[in-house]
Structures are given as C-alpha cells and as structure tokens.
C-alpha cells in the first residue's frame, strides 16, 4: 500500500465514490496478495470483499480463481488476454477457496435481511442474488470488491471489467446536480440522465491532439448529434458540432450521435473551454460551473533562441486553453513572459510539458510570490494639475480623501462634490486615473488592494479643463498621497491541509510553526491525522520534499489560496529591498 494509494483513497472517500480494488503486478518479486488485503483493512480502514484468489505468485503466477463460480482462469504467457482456459481450481487450494467464498457470501447477504435469514438456515442464494447484494453494498460503500492480477500481461483484467459493469453505479444511480439559469439562480430542475430531456452537457477537459483540439464532453441529458448547433451558456455564442468521436486510449471511433450518460470528444470546437456548459439553444440552462482559484505564484520564462520564441507563444496558448488555472502575461517593463499557477509543482509540470511535448527549451526564473499592497491610514489631500503649452492648456484641481477599506473590498470610488466645482462629466475620469495607478503600489510596485477614494471638492477652468486633465491629476494624486497613508505590504496566506501518520504529528506541527504557520485543528482520520493550518505562501516553497523526509514518504498536503494578510516588518523590508534591486537590474 503506497502513499499515493492512501491519498487517492482519501479523495474518493471525500467524494463518496464507489470503487473496486485491483491488486496489480502479482508476477513481481515480493508480491503478496493477502498482505495487501490486510493493509487495505489496517491502513485504509476499509472493508475489502475478496472476489478472487491468485494461483501461484511472483514468477509462478498463472491465473486466478473466481470465488463465485469456483472456476480457475489460467493464462499462458503470450500476453493475449483471450489466451486463457477455464479449469477446476488446483486441489491444494480447495480449502482456501471454500474459506474465502464463505466470507464473501456472508458479507454480501448482510445487504438483504430475507436472504441472510435463508442463508443462516443453510440455503445458499443463487449467484445472481449474491451479485445483486454485492452491487447494493458496493454503491453504499459498505465494502469494496477486491481483485488481483497482472495488467501488463492481461491476466485478471476481464473480471475487473465485468465487476465495473456488475457492481459500480451507472449514471442514473448518481445524485443529479441542480440546473441554474443564465443568471446563476437554481431553476429547481435536476440534470437527470434522460435522453428525452433537453440537451445539457459539460466540457470537462480540452486536449491538444495531432488532429486538432479535442473537447471532452460529459452529456447529462438529451442527445448530441453531428451537424447540430448548441449554445455555450458561458459565452452566449452557438457552436456547430462537427465530428464526434469516442476515445479508446490513442484510437478513436467516429459517432453520429451520443446521448445522456455518454462521455465523448468533439473535434474542432473554437470557443469552448473547461467548465463551459453546452445546451439546447431553445432551452438554455447552466450546469454547476467549475471554480478555478486565482494563481498565487509566478515564474519568468524566456526561450533559449529566437526560433523557440514563436513556438513558445503557440504552445502556451494551447496550454492555457487546456488548464484555466494556468495564466500567462507579459511584463511591460522587461518584456519577460510571466507564467502564473497554483503552486511550484503546477508550474514545474508546465515547464516539463513545454520541453518534452513541444520541444522548447526555456530558461526559468526564481518563483515569485504575488504580494499586494494596501494602506492603513485615512488621509485628506489636494492636487492641482496645470500645464500651459500655448493655446489651450490643461487644468484640473481635486480635493479628496483616501481611506483603508474592509479586507476583500477591493477599490471603491465615490464623489460628494456639490455646487459643480468638479463637473459631473469629469468624475469618471478621476475614478479612472486612480484605478489605473492602483496596479503599481508605492512600496515595491505590487498592485494595491482595499482602499476607498472620495472626491470631496476641486476646481475647474471652463476652457482648459478636460477629462484627460482630471485623469492625469488623479494619477499624480495617487502617487503623492499613498506614501503618506501608511502603505503596508500584504502576503498571500494559504489554507494548508497536511495528512500525516500519527507518529509524525509532532514533527509536522513543529515544522509548520517554523514556517510562520498557524495551526487551526487536528483531526484523527481512519488512516492518518489531518492537520489544518494557515501559512504564508513564501514559506511553503520546497515543502513537499521536507514533508516526505519527515514522514518517510507517507505525508501529503494540499494548499489553496485563502486571503491576504499584512507582512511582518522584517519580511516586508526584505521583500521590498529584493524587488527594488530586481527592478533596478532590469
């Protein structure tokens, strides 16, 4: 049982997903099916329902015994999945087969009181009845059918595929999600899996392919037909469905139509992105959209030669379409390409895709944290903009207050001017001047957050005043007043969930405290302890390596942006100094 299996199991538990267990690579040295079954109980705190037993192990692994039918599936070593024989189980395994079969039936019939009663009276239920009970228990997450084999040599896979059909829920057995109208209000309707209802489909993945862009679509209701027109509720535009294909790994099968419950790919859609809803233009509705958080980390990349520069732009464009949480922008001052993402690993993978998939070698800069600035004091000020250049000049006078806003309030503008000292038509220009300049804070050039500007008075000239003059006045007023308003550096704080075995909790908490983390809670789980904390992003670089070292590779963590908080003075001074030096070097 490896750490990644624990992580995936935890995600599946959180999403309440029914599942089947397959123990792979039984032909490898050191393989032990029974040990893994015990680990599923001990490490995952799950109830494995053993459906098959292996015949032989390691180099002697020949096949498996299906406990329900008491038949042995024996393969040769050709790798052909159809090259098997159904035989009677080996005589030396007869006792083990009966013992595990009894456990299987006892666990299954607990799902049906009547069948359990009959079984206790000595009447064994039919295989169909047992399968019905297994299906019920699997969907209810009471137990997990457990199989084994060697996927590489196609041994044991057939029974796993049969189990998927026999025991796992089909789309009609999953709780449907609510529909919302184009304004985002719930309509009271549910996206039930029904081909006779209006079309509702979700684009959940975009993949670039040698034949063109593939848009993977899950159809929740209705029918999707080749050549028809559908509405994209996110963009408000219609799209024509060209080719529909059903994907089988790297091969594909052309379809003329697909219906509710199907997952297909459509080739050549132009304006559809991940999370967009496609629906019937006559009956528009939106499925629950995917939420993509804002990026919190950035790196600068530059191509190693001129030929790669153009290729890099095209490749990054495709990658941004595929992943909405990945962003790109160009630094106006330095001309550098800045990539923004959700964490170190996210950006590492993107660089790897550039190099391996697109063949573009790039130089990567150090990761940069997305700091912000704000103010802490209210200030009243006045600024007059005068310029005489022969003919009509420029004149604008503004009196204003700048005050801190509530955290998360963003930028606000208000005018309380009376008596026409600043004509109403120039108020938007003042607003625009402040808003334009808030992208560059006065401490280290980071965008400024959470402040309110109130225009209180001013003056104007009937000839020389113009919207441009008031916009320039507001920009200069921003630069004049913000340094006096107690500017402060803000850093992104991350919500961190760490999962660690019980014996390493002390080390993990000590390390989080060292990273200026605030521990919020500890929750003992079935397999490990969950530590919830809030930590500054700047202290979390390289954390996964340290966590794995502390926990012998078993620790895992997830991290997402929570909010901005004021930086401690020593940290702020170091960041400002480093940022100004970097700007000077450019």
């Amino acid at each position: 049982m490896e750490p990644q299996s624990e992580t995936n199991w935890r995600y599946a538990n959180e999403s309440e997903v029914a599942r089947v267990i397959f123990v792979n690579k039984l032909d490898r040295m050191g393989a032990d099916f029974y040990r893994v079954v015990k680990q599923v109980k001990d490490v995952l705190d799950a109830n494995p329902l053993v459906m098959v037993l292996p015949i032989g192990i390691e180099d002697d692994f020949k096949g498996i015994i299906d406990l329900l039918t008491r038949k042995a599936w024996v393969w040769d070593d050709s790798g052909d999945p159809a090259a098997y024989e159904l035989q009677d189980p080996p005589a030396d395994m007869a006792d083990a087969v009966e013992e595990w079969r009894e456990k299987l039936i006892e666990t299954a019939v607990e799902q049906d009181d009547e069948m359990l009663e009959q079984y206790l009276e000595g009447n064994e239920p039919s295989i169909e009845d047992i399968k019905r009970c297994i299906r019920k228990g699997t969907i209810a997450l009471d137990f997990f059918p457990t199989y084994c084999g060697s996927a590489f040599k196609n041994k044991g896979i057939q029974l796993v595929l049969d189990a998927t059909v026999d025991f796992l829920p089909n789309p009609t057995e999953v709780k449907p999600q609510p529909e919302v109208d184009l304004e985002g209000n719930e309509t009271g309707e549910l996206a039930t899996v029904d081909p006779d209802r209006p079309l509702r489909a979700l684009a959940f993945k975009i993949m670039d392919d040698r034949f063109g862009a593939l848009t993977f679509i899950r159809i929740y209701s209705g029918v999707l037909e080749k050549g028809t027109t559908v509405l994209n509720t996110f963009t408000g535009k219609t799209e024509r469905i060209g080719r529909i294909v059903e994907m089988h790994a790297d091969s594909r099968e052309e379809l003329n139509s697909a219906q509710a419950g199907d997952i297909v790919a459509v080739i050549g859609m132009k304006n559809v992105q991940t999370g967009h809803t496609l629906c019937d233009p006559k009956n528009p509705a939106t499925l629950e959209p995917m939420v993509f958080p804002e990026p919190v980390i950035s790196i600068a990349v530059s191509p190693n030669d001129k030929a790669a520069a153009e290729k890099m732009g095209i490749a990054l464009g495709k990658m941004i379409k595929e992943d909405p949480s990945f962003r790109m922008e160009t630094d106006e001052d330095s001309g550098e390409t800045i990539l923004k993402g959700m964490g170190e690993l996210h950006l590492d993978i993107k660089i790897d895709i550039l190099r391996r998939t697109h063949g573009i070698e790039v130089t990567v800069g150090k990761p940069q944290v997305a700091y912000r600035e704000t103010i802490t004091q209210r200030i009243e000020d006045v600024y007059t903009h005068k310029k005489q250049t022969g003919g009509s000049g420029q004149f604008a006078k503004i009196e204003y207050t700048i005050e801190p806003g509530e955290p998360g309030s963003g930028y606000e503008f208000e005018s309380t001017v009376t008596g026409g000292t600043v004509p109403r038509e120039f108020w938007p220009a003042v607003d625009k001047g402040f808003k334009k300049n808030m992208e560059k804070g006065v401490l280290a050039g980071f965008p400024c957050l959470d402040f309110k500007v109130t225009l209180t008075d001013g003056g104007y000239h009937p000839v020389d005043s113009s919207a441009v003059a008031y916009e320039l006045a507001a920009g200069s007023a921003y630069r004049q007043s913000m340094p006096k308003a107690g500017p402060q550096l803000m850093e992104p704080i991350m919500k961190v969930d760490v999962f660690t075995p019980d014996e390493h909790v002390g080390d993990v908490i000590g390390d989080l405290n060292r990273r200026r983390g605030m521990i919020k809670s500890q929750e003992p789980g079935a397999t490990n302890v969950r530590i919830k904390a809030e930590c500054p992003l700047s202290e979390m670089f390289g954390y996964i390596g340290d966590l794995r070292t502390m926990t012998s590779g078993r620790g895992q963590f997830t991290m997402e942006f929570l909010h901005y908080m004021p930086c401690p003075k020593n940290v702020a001074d170091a960041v400002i100094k480093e940022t100004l030096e970097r700007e000077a070097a450019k």
Side-chain angles (χ1 to χ4, degrees), residues 176-181 185-192 194 197-198 200 221 284-288:
Q177 58 164 287
E179 287 183 4
V180 294
D181 60 22
N185 306 310
E186 286 198 15
T187 60
E189 292 283 319
L190 294 173
T192 50
D194 184 352
R197 294 194 51 186
R200 305 279 181 265
S221 65
T286 304
L287 298 169
E288 183 185 344

Coordinates of all heavy atoms in Angstrom, one line a residue, residues 176-181 185-192 194 197-198 200 221 284-288:
P176 N -28.2 13.5 -9.1 CA -28.1 14.5 -10.2 C -27.8 15.9 -9.6 O -28.2 16.2 -8.5 CB -29.4 14.5 -10.9 CG -30.4 14.0 -9.9 CD -29.6 13.1 -9.0
Q177 N -27.0 16.7 -10.4 CA -26.7 18.1 -9.9 C -27.8 19.0 -10.4 O -28.5 18.8 -11.4 CB -25.4 18.5 -10.5 CG -25.2 18.5 -12.0 CD -24.0 19.3 -12.4 OE1 -24.0 20.5 -12.3 NE2 -22.9 18.7 -12.8
P178 N -28.0 20.1 -9.6 CA -29.1 21.1 -10.0 C -28.7 21.9 -11.2 O -27.6 22.2 -11.4 CB -29.2 22.0 -8.7 CG -27.9 21.8 -8.0 CD -27.3 20.5 -8.4
E179 N -29.7 22.3 -11.9 CA -29.5 23.2 -13.1 C -29.7 24.7 -12.6 O -30.5 24.9 -11.7 CB -30.6 23.0 -14.2 CG -30.4 21.7 -14.9 CD -31.4 21.5 -16.1 OE1 -32.2 22.4 -16.3 OE2 -31.4 20.5 -16.7
V180 N -28.9 25.6 -13.2 CA -29.1 27.0 -12.9 C -29.4 27.7 -14.2 O -29.0 27.3 -15.3 CB -27.9 27.6 -12.2 CG1 -27.7 27.0 -10.8 CG2 -26.7 27.4 -13.0
D181 N -30.2 28.9 -14.1 CA -30.5 29.6 -15.3 C -29.2 30.5 -15.7 O -28.2 30.4 -15.0 CB -31.7 30.5 -15.2 CG -31.6 31.5 -14.0 OD1 -30.5 31.8 -13.6 OD2 -32.7 31.9 -13.5
N185 N -29.2 31.5 -11.0 CA -30.2 31.1 -10.0 C -30.7 29.7 -10.3 O -30.9 29.3 -11.4 CB -31.4 32.0 -10.0 CG -31.0 33.5 -9.9 OD1 -30.3 33.8 -9.0 ND2 -31.5 34.3 -10.8
E186 N -30.8 28.9 -9.2 CA -31.3 27.5 -9.4 C -32.7 27.5 -9.9 O -33.6 28.2 -9.5 CB -31.2 26.7 -8.1 CG -29.8 26.4 -7.7 CD -29.7 25.3 -6.6 OE1 -30.7 24.6 -6.4 OE2 -28.6 25.1 -6.0
T187 N -32.9 26.6 -11.0 CA -34.2 26.5 -11.6 C -35.2 25.6 -10.9 O -36.4 25.5 -11.1 CB -34.1 26.1 -13.1 OG1 -33.5 24.8 -13.1 CG2 -33.2 27.0 -13.9
G188 N -34.6 24.8 -10.0 CA -35.4 23.7 -9.3 C -35.4 22.4 -10.1 O -35.8 21.4 -9.6
E189 N -34.9 22.5 -11.3 CA -34.7 21.3 -12.1 C -33.4 20.6 -11.8 O -32.5 21.2 -11.4 CB -34.8 21.6 -13.6 CG -36.1 22.1 -14.1 CD -37.1 21.0 -14.3 OE1 -36.7 20.0 -14.8 OE2 -38.3 21.2 -14.0
L190 N -33.4 19.2 -12.0 CA -32.2 18.5 -11.8 C -31.7 17.9 -13.1 O -32.5 17.6 -14.0 CB -32.4 17.3 -10.8 CG -32.7 17.7 -9.4 CD1 -33.1 16.5 -8.6 CD2 -31.6 18.4 -8.7
A191 N -30.4 17.9 -13.3 CA -29.8 17.4 -14.6 C -29.9 15.9 -14.6 O -28.8 15.2 -14.5 CB -28.4 17.9 -14.8
T192 N -31.1 15.3 -14.6 CA -31.2 13.8 -14.6 C -30.8 13.2 -15.9 O -30.9 13.8 -17.0 CB -32.6 13.4 -14.3 OG1 -33.5 14.1 -15.2 CG2 -33.0 13.8 -12.9
D194 N -31.3 11.6 -18.9 CA -32.5 11.2 -19.6 C -32.4 11.7 -21.1 O -32.3 12.9 -21.3 CB -33.8 11.9 -19.0 CG -35.1 11.4 -19.7 OD1 -35.0 10.8 -20.7 OD2 -36.1 11.8 -19.2
R197 N -34.9 14.5 -22.5 CA -34.9 15.9 -22.0 C -34.0 16.8 -22.8 O -33.2 16.3 -23.6 CB -34.4 15.9 -20.5 CG -35.4 15.2 -19.6 CD -35.1 15.5 -18.2 NE -35.0 16.9 -18.0 CZ -34.6 17.5 -16.9 NH1 -34.3 16.8 -15.8 NH2 -34.6 18.8 -16.8
P198 N -34.1 18.1 -22.7 CA -33.2 19.0 -23.5 C -31.8 18.7 -23.2 O -31.4 18.3 -22.1 CB -33.7 20.4 -23.0 CG -35.0 20.2 -22.4 CD -35.1 18.9 -21.9
R200 N -28.1 18.9 -22.1 CA -27.2 19.5 -21.1 C -25.9 18.7 -21.1 O -25.9 17.5 -20.9 CB -27.8 19.4 -19.7 CG -29.2 19.9 -19.6 CD -29.2 21.5 -19.4 NE -30.6 22.0 -19.3 CZ -31.3 22.4 -20.3 NH1 -30.9 22.4 -21.5 NH2 -32.5 22.9 -20.0
S221 N -28.0 15.1 -20.1 CA -29.3 14.8 -20.6 C -29.4 15.2 -22.1 O -28.6 15.9 -22.6 CB -30.4 15.6 -19.8 OG -30.3 17.0 -20.0
P284 N -32.2 27.0 -22.8 CA -30.9 27.2 -22.1 C -30.9 27.0 -20.6 O -31.9 27.2 -20.0 CB -30.6 28.7 -22.4 CG -31.9 29.3 -22.7 CD -32.8 28.3 -23.2
A285 N -29.8 26.4 -20.1 CA -29.6 26.2 -18.7 C -28.1 26.0 -18.5 O -27.4 25.6 -19.4 CB -30.4 25.0 -18.2
T286 N -27.6 26.2 -17.3 CA -26.2 26.1 -17.0 C -26.0 25.0 -15.9 O -26.8 25.0 -14.9 CB -25.6 27.4 -16.5 OG1 -25.9 28.4 -17.5 CG2 -24.1 27.3 -16.3
L287 N -25.1 24.1 -16.1 CA -24.7 23.2 -15.1 C -23.7 23.8 -14.1 O -23.1 24.9 -14.4 CB -24.0 21.9 -15.7 CG -24.9 21.2 -16.7 CD1 -24.1 20.1 -17.5 CD2 -26.1 20.5 -15.9
E288 N -23.6 23.2 -12.9 CA -22.8 23.8 -11.9 C -21.4 24.1 -12.4 O -20.7 23.1 -12.9 CB -22.7 22.9 -10.7 CG -21.9 23.4 -9.5 CD -21.8 22.4 -8.4 OE1 -22.5 21.4 -8.4 OE2 -20.9 22.6 -7.6

